[in-house]
Amino acid sequence: MYKKTRTVRIGGAGRTNVLEIGGDAPVSVQTMWKEGIRDLSADALSSLLERIDALSALGCDVVRFAVPDMESADSLIRIAEQTSMPLVADIHFDYRLALRCLDN
């Protein structure tokens, strides 16, 4: 028998784009960012944001980034400050990276 899942909200806290997943929400499209995000220059950040906008235009609802180190966590914070797309930090083995991403 089908059991309804719990609804989870991604985004919020002043964000303009809040996404609900699970429960009665429609299926969400998520993609994993393929490239590292360490040491983003202003030009690289601008290009990355344009690519996130292009993903959104194609119907993507969430972008997941690998966060293997503190530099990547700091870059993800910079990205999140400049896009309304809900972002997910894919973190392995170091809770401090998750805490850093949650700071913002």
Side-chain angles (χ1 to χ4, degrees):
M1 175 174 227
Y2 171 74
K3 183 177 177 185
K4 185 172 148 180
T5 61
R6 181 172 55 113
T7 301
V8 177
R9 294 173 60 101
I10 299 174
R15 307 279 310 210
T16 57
N17 193 6
V18 176
L19 178 67
E20 290 188 347
I21 58 174
D24 292 327
V27 173
S28 299
V29 175
Q30 178 184 155
T31 191
M32 179 78 185
W33 196 261
K34 197 172 167 182
E35 301 158 3
I37 56 172
R38 291 175 65 179
D39 301 323
L40 286 178
S41 67
D43 288 340
L45 178 60
S46 178
S47 174
L48 186 148
L49 292 168
E50 288 176 11
R51 292 165 59 198
I52 288 175
D53 288 344
L55 287 169
S56 180
L58 291 170
C60 183
D61 299 306
V62 181
V63 179
R64 195 171 88 225
F65 289 88
V67 181
D69 52 44
M70 203 57 75
E71 290 173 87
S72 298
D74 291 337
S75 291
L76 185 61
I77 291 167
R78 288 178 59 208
I79 296 164
E81 290 172 345
Q82 298 187 48
T83 184
S84 62
M85 173 77 77
L87 307 178
V88 174
D90 192 339
I91 297 172
H92 298 265
F93 312 118
D94 189 346
Y95 72 93
R96 293 171 295 187
L97 299 172
L99 293 176
R100 177 68 180 129
C101 290
L102 287 173
D103 282 346
N104 291 8

